[in-house]
């Protein structure tokens, strides 16, 4: 996908990418799980695979100690998927555990593969991480 830092951020904030999720991609810690969730979505759009790996909790089902294999898997998803829309449905904040329910508008090879997920995030050593996700019926 052609991408420009000054166009609006893929997460839907209406700010430019450079003033939004790029701040987190460049090393700032998201203050909330919601910021983390949005910046992970944007990482899929812009293909920032390191960010996806670095913000995944090691107990997540996707987590792999084989980083090069994991990286290839994420690359496959990034290259085969159009990440079209992110709609935040609910955000339940907490001190070290938080939940974000969201709907992703996705297409793969022209097919609609959109889904709704409730994600769990844990704050470990001051850093929010993606712990797990549960698919919800539409
Ligand atoms: Zn953003």
């Amino acid at each position: 996908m052609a991408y420009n830092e000054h166009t609006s951020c893929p997460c839907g904030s209406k700010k430019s990418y450079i003033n939004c999720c790029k701040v987190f991609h460049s090393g700032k810690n998201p203050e909330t799980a919601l910021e983390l969730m949005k910046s992970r979505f944007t990482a899929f759009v812009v293909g920032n695979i390191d960010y996806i790996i670095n913000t995944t909790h090691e107990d997540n089902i996707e987590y792999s100690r084989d980083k090069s294999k994991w990286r290839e898997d994420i690359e496959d998803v990034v290259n085969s998927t159009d990440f079209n829309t992110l709609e935040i449905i609910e955000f339940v904040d907490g001190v070290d555990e938080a939940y974000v329910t969201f709907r992703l508008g996705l297409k793969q090879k022209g097919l609609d593969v959109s889904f709704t997920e409730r994600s769990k995030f844990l704050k470990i050593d001051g850093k929010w991480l993606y712990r797990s996700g549960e698919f919800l019926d539409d």
Side-chain angles (χ1 to χ4, degrees):
M1 179 188 286
Y3 201 74
N4 177 328
E5 299 196 320
H6 298 283
T7 54
S8 55
C9 192
C11 76
S13 66
K14 300 196 169 72
K15 291 190 266 184
S16 60
Y17 168 56
I18 202 164
N19 289 319
C20 187
C21 293
K22 183 150 199 256
V23 174
F24 305 119
H25 295 173
S26 303
K28 183 175 185 272
N29 251 352
E31 280 175 33
T32 65
L34 183 59
E35 285 180 339
L36 175 68
M37 190 276 137
K38 288 179 167 187
S39 59
R40 280 176 54 90
F41 172 79
T42 299
F44 276 98
V45 177
V46 302
N48 188 335
I49 293 161
D50 284 334
Y51 190 77
I52 296 163
I53 288 177
N54 291 335
T55 56
T56 301
H57 192 284
E58 64 180 19
D59 291 335
N60 188 286
I61 195 162
E62 305 276 333
Y63 189 91
S64 171
R65 306 227 172 256
D66 183 349
K67 293 279 162 66
S68 61
K69 171 77 174 75
W70 189 13
R71 172 178 295 277
E72 276 175 31
D73 290 348
I74 297 171
E75 247 162 29
D76 282 348
V77 172
V78 165
N79 292 333
S80 65
T81 309
D82 291 327
F83 295 86
N84 294 321
T85 55
L86 168 66
E87 180 195 348
I88 304 298
I89 297 168
E90 188 186 35
F91 172 44
V92 181
D93 203 3
V95 176
D96 51 18
E97 186 176 322
Y99 296 85
V100 181
T101 305
F102 57 91
R103 178 152 182 85
L104 288 188
L106 307 177
K107 278 196 170 174
Q108 284 177 335
K109 297 181 183 134
L111 276 179
D112 188 346
V113 291
S114 302
F115 62 87
T116 304
E117 180 179 317
R118 184 172 194 253
S119 288
K120 178 178 178 176
F121 298 87
L122 294 178
K123 199 174 193 181
I124 310 287
D125 297 333
K127 199 174 164 225
W128 285 106
L129 298 171
Y130 173 48
R131 170 63 182 83
S132 58
E134 173 197 355
F135 293 113
L136 302 180
D137 292 332
D138 291 330

PDB file of all heavy atoms in Angstrom, residues 9-13 16-17 20-22 38-39 42, ligand 1:
ATOM      1  N   CYS A   9      -3.632   9.204   9.913  1.00  0.00           N
ATOM      2  CA  CYS A   9      -3.164   7.951  10.498  1.00  0.00           C
ATOM      3  C   CYS A   9      -4.186   6.830  10.241  1.00  0.00           C
ATOM      4  O   CYS A   9      -5.390   7.049  10.384  1.00  0.00           O
ATOM      5  CB  CYS A   9      -2.944   8.148  11.990  1.00  0.00           C
ATOM      6  SG  CYS A   9      -2.038   6.773  12.709  1.00  0.00           S
ATOM      7  N   PRO A  10      -3.713   5.636   9.875  1.00  0.00           N
ATOM      8  CA  PRO A  10      -4.624   4.520   9.613  1.00  0.00           C
ATOM      9  C   PRO A  10      -5.538   4.171  10.789  1.00  0.00           C
ATOM     10  O   PRO A  10      -6.614   3.609  10.594  1.00  0.00           O
ATOM     11  CB  PRO A  10      -3.682   3.350   9.325  1.00  0.00           C
ATOM     12  CG  PRO A  10      -2.420   3.976   8.872  1.00  0.00           C
ATOM     13  CD  PRO A  10      -2.317   5.282   9.622  1.00  0.00           C
ATOM     14  N   CYS A  11      -5.136   4.535  12.015  1.00  0.00           N
ATOM     15  CA  CYS A  11      -5.936   4.154  13.188  1.00  0.00           C
ATOM     16  C   CYS A  11      -7.254   4.915  13.271  1.00  0.00           C
ATOM     17  O   CYS A  11      -8.099   4.595  14.089  1.00  0.00           O
ATOM     18  CB  CYS A  11      -5.139   4.333  14.470  1.00  0.00           C
ATOM     19  SG  CYS A  11      -4.988   6.050  14.998  1.00  0.00           S
ATOM     20  N   GLY A  12      -7.400   5.960  12.406  1.00  0.00           N
ATOM     21  CA  GLY A  12      -8.675   6.661  12.373  1.00  0.00           C
ATOM     22  C   GLY A  12      -8.737   7.891  13.268  1.00  0.00           C
ATOM     23  O   GLY A  12      -9.800   8.468  13.475  1.00  0.00           O
ATOM     24  N   SER A  13      -7.588   8.314  13.781  1.00  0.00           N
ATOM     25  CA  SER A  13      -7.571   9.434  14.726  1.00  0.00           C
ATOM     26  C   SER A  13      -7.811  10.785  14.058  1.00  0.00           C
ATOM     27  O   SER A  13      -8.088  11.763  14.738  1.00  0.00           O
ATOM     28  CB  SER A  13      -6.213   9.493  15.418  1.00  0.00           C
ATOM     29  OG  SER A  13      -5.218   9.809  14.463  1.00  0.00           O
ATOM     30  N   SER A  16      -2.213  13.237  11.526  1.00  0.00           N
ATOM     31  CA  SER A  16      -1.301  12.626  10.568  1.00  0.00           C
ATOM     32  C   SER A  16      -0.548  11.487  11.270  1.00  0.00           C
ATOM     33  O   SER A  16      -0.355  11.512  12.495  1.00  0.00           O
ATOM     34  CB  SER A  16      -0.330  13.654  10.001  1.00  0.00           C
ATOM     35  OG  SER A  16       0.421  14.214  11.049  1.00  0.00           O
ATOM     36  N   TYR A  17      -0.123  10.517  10.470  1.00  0.00           N
ATOM     37  CA  TYR A  17       0.599   9.370  11.036  1.00  0.00           C
ATOM     38  C   TYR A  17       1.790   9.826  11.876  1.00  0.00           C
ATOM     39  O   TYR A  17       2.044   9.324  12.969  1.00  0.00           O
ATOM     40  CB  TYR A  17       1.032   8.460   9.882  1.00  0.00           C
ATOM     41  CG  TYR A  17       2.029   7.391  10.246  1.00  0.00           C
ATOM     42  CD1 TYR A  17       1.769   6.478  11.259  1.00  0.00           C
ATOM     43  CD2 TYR A  17       3.235   7.276   9.553  1.00  0.00           C
ATOM     44  CE1 TYR A  17       2.686   5.486  11.586  1.00  0.00           C
ATOM     45  CE2 TYR A  17       4.150   6.282   9.861  1.00  0.00           C
ATOM     46  CZ  TYR A  17       3.888   5.406  10.877  1.00  0.00           C
ATOM     47  OH  TYR A  17       4.786   4.433  11.192  1.00  0.00           O
ATOM     48  N   CYS A  20       0.833  10.783  15.229  1.00  0.00           N
ATOM     49  CA  CYS A  20      -0.056   9.841  15.920  1.00  0.00           C
ATOM     50  C   CYS A  20       0.719   8.556  16.195  1.00  0.00           C
ATOM     51  O   CYS A  20       1.653   8.548  16.991  1.00  0.00           O
ATOM     52  CB  CYS A  20      -1.315   9.629  15.075  1.00  0.00           C
ATOM     53  SG  CYS A  20      -2.581   8.659  15.911  1.00  0.00           S
ATOM     54  N   CYS A  21       0.368   7.472  15.539  1.00  0.00           N
ATOM     55  CA  CYS A  21       0.968   6.182  15.893  1.00  0.00           C
ATOM     56  C   CYS A  21       2.474   6.118  15.638  1.00  0.00           C
ATOM     57  O   CYS A  21       3.166   5.330  16.266  1.00  0.00           O
ATOM     58  CB  CYS A  21       0.246   5.070  15.146  1.00  0.00           C
ATOM     59  SG  CYS A  21      -1.458   4.877  15.719  1.00  0.00           S
ATOM     60  N   LYS A  22       2.986   6.959  14.741  1.00  0.00           N
ATOM     61  CA  LYS A  22       4.428   6.916  14.483  1.00  0.00           C
ATOM     62  C   LYS A  22       5.228   7.260  15.746  1.00  0.00           C
ATOM     63  O   LYS A  22       6.342   6.761  15.942  1.00  0.00           O
ATOM     64  CB  LYS A  22       4.813   7.868  13.347  1.00  0.00           C
ATOM     65  CG  LYS A  22       6.295   7.773  13.015  1.00  0.00           C
ATOM     66  CD  LYS A  22       6.603   8.067  11.576  1.00  0.00           C
ATOM     67  CE  LYS A  22       7.965   7.509  11.205  1.00  0.00           C
ATOM     68  NZ  LYS A  22       8.980   8.522  11.108  1.00  0.00           N
ATOM     69  N   LYS A  38      -4.407   0.662  18.865  1.00  0.00           N
ATOM     70  CA  LYS A  38      -4.466   1.437  17.623  1.00  0.00           C
ATOM     71  C   LYS A  38      -3.112   1.450  16.911  1.00  0.00           C
ATOM     72  O   LYS A  38      -3.048   1.333  15.688  1.00  0.00           O
ATOM     73  CB  LYS A  38      -4.882   2.876  17.922  1.00  0.00           C
ATOM     74  CG  LYS A  38      -6.336   3.025  18.312  1.00  0.00           C
ATOM     75  CD  LYS A  38      -6.589   4.505  18.613  1.00  0.00           C
ATOM     76  CE  LYS A  38      -8.063   4.818  18.713  1.00  0.00           C
ATOM     77  NZ  LYS A  38      -8.265   6.272  18.836  1.00  0.00           N
ATOM     78  N   SER A  39      -2.046   1.591  17.691  1.00  0.00           N
ATOM     79  CA  SER A  39      -0.729   1.671  17.058  1.00  0.00           C
ATOM     80  C   SER A  39      -0.296   0.307  16.519  1.00  0.00           C
ATOM     81  O   SER A  39       0.471   0.235  15.549  1.00  0.00           O
ATOM     82  CB  SER A  39       0.316   2.244  18.026  1.00  0.00           C
ATOM     83  OG  SER A  39       0.431   1.456  19.188  1.00  0.00           O
ATOM     84  N   THR A  42      -2.052   0.129  13.169  1.00  0.00           N
ATOM     85  CA  THR A  42      -1.303   0.948  12.210  1.00  0.00           C
ATOM     86  C   THR A  42      -0.009   0.261  11.799  1.00  0.00           C
ATOM     87  O   THR A  42       0.403   0.340  10.641  1.00  0.00           O
ATOM     88  CB  THR A  42      -1.028   2.338  12.817  1.00  0.00           C
ATOM     89  OG1 THR A  42      -2.284   2.958  13.084  1.00  0.00           O
ATOM     90  CG2 THR A  42      -0.234   3.221  11.859  1.00  0.00           C
TER      91      THR A  42
HETATM   92 ZN1  LIG B   1      -2.744   6.584  14.856  1.00  0.00          ZN
END
